[in-house]
Amino acid sequence: MEKRTLHTVLSPRLLDLYSLSDGVVVVIDVFRATSTIATALSNGARAVYPVAGVEQCKQLGQKLGAITAGERNGQVIEGLLHGNSPAEYPRSFIAGKDLVLTTTNGTKLLKMALDQGAAEVITGSFVNLGSVCQYLVSSNKNVILACSGWKDRFNLEDTMFAGAVVAQIERHFHMNCDSSLMAKQQYQLHEADMKTFIRQTSHWHRLKAFGLEKDLEFCVTPGGAEVLPLYNPQNGTLNAVALG
């Protein structure tokens, strides 16, 4: 049987160059949307509603009686109850509740993938690396690792996560993709000193100004929230999927 393909998309601006109709798109926004989504779901959130706009977030939250949360440029949006920090969603707070979330980069990319006809969309970060890899191997679809970046620009933390995925699953795929090769080699070069290396990134410095260092360290720690968030197009939610 012919092997499936695996590609890494380094910026949302490049997404339309790839066919998504027969693939699983992994939306990656390590700092912090996809880390927060995994954390909320692993701590018992009933569902996460990712939305692109602030007003939509407010309106849907009011309609559902849900927690509304989001950020723009790293800061909590005025009029929303909570931010985009994994630390804000412990089990004692989020279990059994719905979360409506809007962010600068991650939720926008998820909508783009859906608009371009992605067969399936999941979200990934270091905190649920194992679950993402397990799902991609067991799926019978091609894989697109889609990095959210920062306002359409390349960033290192999303690319490093893509590289971590590639390093674990590439033997199951046909990989003729320079961005995947680069991501894997960059990850392997810094895997042992990730928390030190990541401090050099532009996004670290941007968010450090808001006192978020502990957040960011958690976001690059593998296994902190092992759950598989899968998008359900019927009701517009990300839900935790049980893996066999």
Side-chain angles (χ1 to χ4, degrees):
M1 187 174 72
E2 187 176 345
K3 281 189 174 182
R4 297 162 288 158
T5 61
L6 186 157
H7 290 92
T8 298
V9 182
L10 298 176
S11 161
R13 286 285 184 95
L14 301 172
L15 190 67
D16 62 358
L17 302 178
Y18 296 83
S19 172
L20 310 184
S21 60
D22 59 352
V24 180
V25 176
V26 184
V27 172
I28 304 165
D29 188 2
V30 172
F31 290 159
R32 293 166 288 158
T34 56
S35 299
T36 297
I37 289 165
T39 300
L41 288 173
S42 71
N43 284 332
R46 186 163 51 189
V48 176
Y49 291 77
V51 297
V54 176
E55 287 308 311
Q56 184 185 4
C57 183
K58 293 177 182 178
Q59 291 169 11
L60 185 58
Q62 186 173 29
K63 177 182 176 182
L64 296 172
I67 296 164
T68 57
E71 55 82 17
R72 288 294 181 269
N73 302 318
Q75 294 185 286
V76 179
I77 299 167
E78 185 177 352
L80 299 183
L81 298 176
H82 295 276
N84 185 27
S85 166
E88 291 186 67
Y89 303 101
R91 180 169 293 274
S92 59
F93 171 69
I94 197 64
K97 298 175 184 176
D98 294 322
L99 174 65
V100 185
L101 180 69
T102 181
T103 68
T104 305
N105 304 293
T107 52
K108 182 181 76 170
L109 178 58
L110 191 149
K111 184 178 186 302
M112 289 173 63
L114 295 170
D115 289 346
Q116 289 178 215
E120 276 187 1
V121 176
I122 66 174
T123 64
S125 179
F126 286 97
V127 299
N128 66 331
L129 172 62
S131 299
V132 168
C133 291
Q134 182 181 344
Y135 185 78
L136 295 178
V137 170
S138 65
S139 168
N140 62 355
K141 295 180 175 64
N142 297 326
V143 170
I144 300 288
L145 303 174
C147 301
S148 296
W150 172 255
K151 297 184 177 180
D152 291 331
R153 299 177 185 177
F154 168 91
N155 74 20
L156 270 170
E157 65 273 9
D158 292 349
T159 301
M160 295 277 273
F161 173 73
V165 174
V166 173
Q168 289 200 23
I169 72 172
E170 65 176 324
R171 67 185 181 279
H172 299 280
F173 293 84
H174 172 70
M175 196 183 77
N176 184 18
C177 172
D178 285 356
S179 53
S180 296
L181 175 63
M182 181 274 294
K184 181 187 74 168
Q185 292 186 341
Q186 184 72 12
Y187 167 71
Q188 290 175 331
L189 186 63
H190 295 288
E191 179 181 4
D193 67 335
M194 180 69 71
K195 289 184 180 179
T196 300
F197 175 72
I198 213 73
R199 282 171 163 76
Q200 301 176 52
T201 66
S202 60
H203 214 157
W204 178 284
H205 289 288
R206 192 178 298 116
L207 295 174
K208 179 185 176 184
F210 306 129
L212 295 169
E213 293 99 324
K214 287 186 178 179
D215 247 25
L216 305 183
E217 286 188 354
F218 174 77
C219 290
V220 296
T221 302
E226 283 296 357
V227 71
L228 196 287
L230 174 67
Y231 186 78
N232 181 339
Q234 267 70 50
N235 53 19
T237 59
L238 286 157
N239 300 95
V241 174
L243 299 175

